[in-house]
Amino acid sequence: MTTHESPDLSPRMRLILESATRVVAAGGMRGLTHRAVDAEAGLPQGSTSGYLRTRLALVTALTEFTAAGLIDSVEALAGEQQAGQSDATVIEHALDLFASWLREPDALLAKAELTQEAIRRPEIAEAMAPARERINSIVEQILVRAQVADAETSAQAVVAAMEGVLGSALTKPAAEREAYVRGVGKRIITAFVPDAS
């Protein structure tokens, strides 16, 4: 879940959204205020509201920022698959991708909080949709190549399961998280692609 490098973001907006990510990771959605983001970013009071006037604007911008980071990280996986690597290799790279998100726990926690917010706020769910669709598409491509029946539904199942695995991993000691994600993740994926185990 790498930091999104969109040229559309000014350095100040990037600072605000990275700070908002840390605020949500530390205190949940209830802690996300313009004042808290200003303090985290070391900006004068009122700076965040100068860019994002309402809390909804702040939440939506954070959602889009988080989603963009997810899309960036799965594009490399798509390139690997298109390069003709074996199913087993691409699956290992998919596990590398999921494990890499553990190295950015603030972004992962913020995504989990935003996912919960999306249940109540359709506009947040809409902002998250492109990232989910792209991730589902990448996994579906892997499963199609592996000749998995109903690859679309299977991909949705894998992605939903891995979201749960990542969330569970955050409850474990940091030293155990990657092994947990790789072990459980491989069990999930190879349930659909047994020849890749």
Side-chain angles (χ1 to χ4, degrees), residues 13-157:
M13 180 62 87
R14 185 179 307 283
L15 173 61
I16 286 170
L17 294 174
E18 289 174 347
S19 299
T21 300
R22 292 191 295 272
V23 167
V24 172
M29 292 301 296
R30 289 184 179 180
L32 182 63
T33 65
H34 292 83
R35 184 185 298 271
V37 174
D38 288 340
E40 177 66 29
L43 295 173
Q45 184 177 335
S47 297
T48 297
S49 61
Y51 284 84
L52 302 162
R53 298 187 65 83
T54 66
R55 187 173 188 278
L56 177 59
L58 176 58
V59 172
T60 302
L62 177 59
T63 302
E64 292 171 348
F65 179 71
T66 302
L70 288 169
I71 291 171
D72 284 350
S73 63
V74 299
E75 290 300 338
L77 183 61
E80 289 163 2
Q81 184 185 17
Q82 291 167 2
Q85 297 187 3
S86 70
D87 296 331
T89 299
V90 175
I91 287 170
E92 284 303 314
H93 288 166
L95 293 171
D96 290 343
L97 171 66
F98 289 125
S100 75
W101 292 348
L102 292 171
R103 292 189 279 278
E104 297 184 59
D106 287 349
L108 195 56
L109 282 166
K111 179 187 177 297
E113 291 284 343
L114 289 164
T115 298
Q116 290 298 312
E117 188 78 358
I119 295 170
R120 296 178 291 273
R121 305 293 293 269
E123 59 271 28
I124 303 305
E126 182 177 349
M128 296 183 78
R132 177 175 288 277
E133 290 169 4
R134 184 61 181 141
I135 293 168
N136 284 344
S137 174
I138 297 297
V139 176
E140 182 179 349
Q141 290 172 34
I142 293 170
L143 299 183
V144 165
R145 285 189 55 215
Q147 300 181 331
V148 172
D150 193 5
E152 181 178 1
T153 301
S154 296
Q156 293 170 1

